[in-house]
Amino acid sequence: VESNIDAKEWLIEVERVSSKLKISVQNEPREWRSHIEQARQYRLEKHSESLGKVLEKISKREKNINYNMNDLGTEYKAKAEELKVIATRYNDLNKTVKDMSEQYKQVTERYEQVMAKTSEHGNSVTDNSPLQKIKLAIQNMRNEITSMDLRIGVLSHTVMQHKFKERRHRDDKGLEHVDDLIE
């Protein structure tokens, strides 16, 4: 079976008659579908009424809570602001403490350097080893001077003895001109 109808004409015809082909169901009061629809409608109305009452109660309680908690809310806001101020002050003071700790560390290091230099200087001042060396050198020089004085004395004595002997010998021989040569 083949159709001789054009596809475009067929679509146009379907569109034209499709609205006439729809069946509309009329609800009769005795029909069970209408009873179900009425029951749904009644339940929706009851639910909306009970929800309205619940919303009204919630609204009243919310207003009551807001009224009672208004002071607490204000107090909370004030405390929150105070906390912000305290936190800012804490951060500032903490930064100051860190800066002062760094300064303290620097001062302590400087103090330790000064104490080391002072201790070193004190040790060099109280270190009497160079002084002891000088005293020992002076004592050695005194000993050498004493030894030299002793030698000079011995040599002087020897020279004097030699002069006495020469004089005696000259007096004995009459050599007066040798005396002039020695002196």
Side-chain angles (χ1 to χ4, degrees), residues 80-94:
E81 279 298 317
E82 187 178 337
L83 178 64
K84 285 181 185 178
V85 169
I86 289 172
T88 304
R89 187 167 178 226
Y90 170 78
N91 290 335
D92 292 343
L93 290 174
N94 197 17

Side-chain angles (χ1 to χ4, degrees), residues 8-61:
K8 287 183 184 179
E9 287 179 19
W10 179 257
L11 287 174
I12 293 172
E13 185 66 23
V14 167
E15 285 179 21
R16 186 180 67 81
V17 292
S18 64
S19 62
K20 294 179 182 178
L21 293 176
K22 290 183 182 176
I23 299 174
S24 62
V25 177
Q26 297 282 332
N27 289 338
E28 290 184 25
R30 293 185 193 170
E31 191 176 331
W32 63 273
R33 287 185 188 121
S34 67
H35 288 295
I36 291 176
E37 188 63 34
Q38 286 175 354
R40 279 187 191 156
Q41 188 66 28
Y42 178 74
R43 273 193 283 167
L44 284 175
E45 287 174 4
K46 285 292 185 184
H47 283 303
S48 73
E49 284 178 23
S50 67
L51 287 176
K53 289 178 183 177
V54 168
L55 285 174
E56 189 176 318
K57 285 180 183 179
I58 290 174
S59 177
K60 286 180 182 179
R61 285 185 183 170

Side-chain angles (χ1 to χ4, degrees), residues 91-107:
N91 290 335
D92 292 343
L93 290 174
N94 197 17
K95 183 180 179 196
T96 304
V97 167
K98 285 180 182 178
D99 292 343
M100 288 183 159
S101 294
E102 184 63 31
Q103 288 177 355
Y104 174 74
K105 182 180 175 185
Q106 291 173 355
V107 168

